[in-house]
Amino acid sequence: MRAAVVTQLNSPWEFQDLPDPVAGPGQVVVRIHACGMCFSDVLVHRGHWPVQLPIVPGHEPVGEVVELGPGVTTLRVGDRVGVSWMQRGEGRCVHCQSGRPVRCEHTQTWMDLGGGYADLMPAWESGCTLLPDGLSYSDAAVAFCAGFTSMSGLRNADPRPGERVCVLGVGGLGHMAVQLAAAIGLETVVLTTSPDKADYAKELGATEGIVVDGDRGAALTAAGGADIILATTTSADQVAQVLSGLRYGGRLVTMGVTGPLRIEDMMTLLFKQCSIKGSTHNNRSDLVEVLDLMARGKVTPRVERYPMGEINEVLKRVEAGQVRYRAVLEHD
């Protein structure tokens, strides 16, 4: 098979011919049709994830099952599937036994088996999710990281009917978070420094786009505050600053990989009894919900499509923040 391989950090990825994978017990082989790219791929490129080189990256893969390993019972050859970042736990810890394998300390991921920037990808059966009929591979790929992360962040905030959600940052995650919050019936506003993105947020379903050029928390407070803030930015300073815009009992959920988060606004935390949560991929039901909303036309990712051969050029675009709003690599 042909695959893009990270051989050295901060160096172009190399296309190599590798042996075709063979499905082991409980595993399948997926012929990849598309694989999304996000900033986590940049972090792999820079050495911020604990990967062993050389490695095939790619954690938003979708394609067709072409081989079943011994013991596979829920998938069939020809199934259209996507593969989650976390594919299985060890099975015997308290978290796995409680049906929460994402919390397992010994999870199996693409970093163990190899990722989706390849013709073929091995995956655990438990890490594969069926794609709804009619949903394109390129759109579905976005669900397996950006969509999954955004919905898990929203669900981790425990939204209640009538609450107001503020999305901080309208990028790959943020443009999905806006649509998902609006799709489940929550009033949704966006904080951005760009008037163009404020207008675009309304096209995505936001009731208001708030343009800020100073204190984000003060701007949000002036606009009525929010019960939930979904922070999708990679700026720790922005996350800390927006905290003051929470209403009483509000929840800030941060989903971007930031530097150290220093909270100086203890008055909001104490006297408004607010909370801060981190969130990434959580329950598989969050992913299935995203795929369903996408299949029903309630949520549509904005995708830039590229051939797999242009992967290094796309990596540069993602690193520079030039993609609007999600890049997907496709096989010819």
Side-chain angles (χ1 to χ4, degrees):
M1 69 174 185
R2 192 77 166 160
V5 183
V6 182
T7 58
Q8 298 182 64
L9 300 178
N10 298 301
S11 298
W13 298 353
E14 299 179 10
F15 279 98
Q16 298 181 3
D17 292 320
L18 301 177
D20 289 353
V22 176
Q27 295 179 346
V28 300
V29 173
V30 180
R31 181 168 298 282
I32 301 300
H33 285 258
C35 188
M37 180 178 286
C38 81
F39 203 78
S40 290
D41 292 293
V42 175
L43 298 180
V44 171
H45 176 66
R46 293 176 179 174
H48 294 187
W49 286 111
V51 299
Q52 297 294 316
L53 301 183
I55 191 171
V56 178
H59 62 275
E60 288 186 333
V62 290
E64 179 185 354
V65 175
V66 294
E67 181 185 332
L68 306 178
V72 172
T73 60
T74 62
L75 295 176
R76 302 179 180 89
V77 170
D79 279 346
R80 295 179 352 117
V81 300
V83 185
S84 299
W85 180 302
M86 198 289 290
Q87 298 179 31
R88 62 170 287 177
E90 66 175 353
R92 299 179 63 85
C93 71
V94 65
H95 303 300
C96 291
Q97 289 291 298
S98 300
R100 301 277 187 169
V102 71
R103 300 179 183 179
C104 177
E105 295 181 359
H106 304 287
T107 57
Q108 289 277 305
T109 75
W110 65 270
M111 291 186 280
D112 300 291
L113 299 180
Y117 296 135
D119 295 330
L120 299 168
M121 176 182 177
W124 289 102
E125 175 187 20
S126 55
C128 296
T129 301
L130 294 170
L131 304 183
D133 293 339
L135 184 61
S136 74
Y137 282 119
S138 293
D139 283 352
V142 181
F144 282 81
C145 186
F148 198 171
T149 301
S150 298
M151 182 57 87
S152 286
L154 180 58
R155 289 304 182 195
N156 275 339
D158 191 23
R160 305 177 186 102
E163 288 195 318
R164 193 183 203 210
V165 175
C166 172
V167 177
L168 176 64
V170 187
L173 286 181
H175 95 285
M176 292 295 287
V178 173
Q179 294 184 75
L180 291 168
I184 65 172
L186 298 170
E187 180 187 0
T188 307
V189 301
V190 168
L191 278 182
T192 178
T193 58
S194 168
D196 290 342
K197 284 191 175 182
D199 291 336
Y200 181 62
K202 295 179 183 178
E203 296 179 23
L204 295 174
T207 55
E208 184 179 2
I210 305 167
V211 181
V212 296
D213 57 7
D215 189 309
R216 288 162 177 77
L220 180 56
T221 298
D227 302 288
I228 295 168
I229 297 173
L230 300 179
T232 67
T233 177
T234 57
S235 169
D237 290 341
Q238 291 184 22
V239 175
Q241 191 180 76
V242 79
L243 180 67
S244 64
L246 284 172
R247 295 170 173 172
Y248 188 90
R251 291 85 73 200
L252 187 155
V253 181
T254 179
M255 295 172 283
V257 179
T258 71
L261 184 60
R262 297 181 176 89
I263 303 298
E264 298 181 2
D265 183 15
M266 296 304 296
M267 299 296 283
T268 293
L269 284 178
L270 292 173
F271 293 103
K272 287 187 179 179
Q273 298 192 28
C274 295
S275 61
I276 301 172
K277 284 186 174 184
S279 184
T280 178
H281 301 172
N282 192 20
N283 298 325
R284 186 169 173 173
S285 59
D286 299 332
L287 171 60
V288 173
E289 186 175 11
V290 173
L291 290 168
D292 177 64
L293 289 170
M294 290 172 63
R296 291 192 287 126
K298 303 291 185 180
V299 173
T300 303
R302 274 46 172 184
V303 173
E304 293 183 5
R305 295 173 171 83
Y306 299 91
M308 193 67 70
E310 295 181 11
I311 196 166
N312 282 300
E313 290 75 12
V314 177
L315 181 65
K316 291 177 183 177
R317 284 183 54 79
V318 173
E319 188 170 23
Q322 297 173 339
V323 173
R324 297 293 182 269
Y325 283 88
R326 205 64 168 180
V328 175
L329 283 300
E330 301 174 325
H331 285 285
D332 297 335

